[in-house]
Amino acid sequence: MKCLSCLQNNVLALDVYVQPRASKNRVAGMHGSAVKICVTAPPVEYKANEAVIDLIADLLGVPKSSIAIKSGKQGRSKKLLISNLSLREAQEILSRTFCKTRPGVL
């Protein structure tokens, strides 16, 4: 997966593309080489960023404190840093998620 990489100290980097003000919070698939995340929160006062962190933490089964936005805090394209999760576990979770959103894609 091009959207996910392992950095030093076992920290993962995940590229996401965010669609704020969506009808529901969900992983919508891929947007180029990034995971497309839809959140109902508006992009004001970092509410959409908080919703992205909540959704990714819930999806990956890690605490919200394990996720930080490294870049793109004010844009749709973001790079998230994730700790307390192995690359293999993250890849498996994302693969299962994509199979649910678009069966037959992977």
Side-chain angles (χ1 to χ4, degrees):
M1 294 185 153
K2 293 181 180 181
C3 60
L4 186 65
S5 60
C6 188
L7 306 175
Q8 62 191 34
N9 300 326
N10 294 323
V11 173
L12 304 180
L14 178 66
D15 294 322
V16 298
Y17 179 82
V18 179
Q19 177 188 335
R21 292 193 172 118
S23 59
K24 65 180 185 175
N25 292 333
R26 66 188 178 104
V27 175
M30 296 297 291
H31 180 86
S33 62
V35 177
K36 184 174 181 182
I37 306 291
C38 299
V39 294
T40 57
V44 293
E45 298 177 0
Y46 299 104
K47 290 183 183 195
N49 288 343
E50 292 170 11
V52 168
I53 290 172
D54 289 347
L55 185 108
I56 295 296
D58 186 49
L59 175 71
L60 297 177
V62 297
K64 291 186 276 187
S65 60
S66 294
I67 300 175
I69 298 175
K70 180 180 181 185
S71 63
K73 288 183 181 175
Q74 294 182 332
R76 289 181 179 231
S77 296
K78 303 178 187 306
K79 183 173 290 288
L80 304 180
L81 298 180
I82 304 163
S83 56
N84 300 323
L85 187 68
S86 74
L87 179 62
R88 186 172 151 262
E89 288 175 304
Q91 288 173 329
E92 289 175 3
I93 293 167
L94 290 174
S95 292
R96 282 194 308 265
T97 301
F98 294 144
C99 286
K100 287 179 186 176
T101 59
R102 297 193 62 190
V105 170
L106 294 178

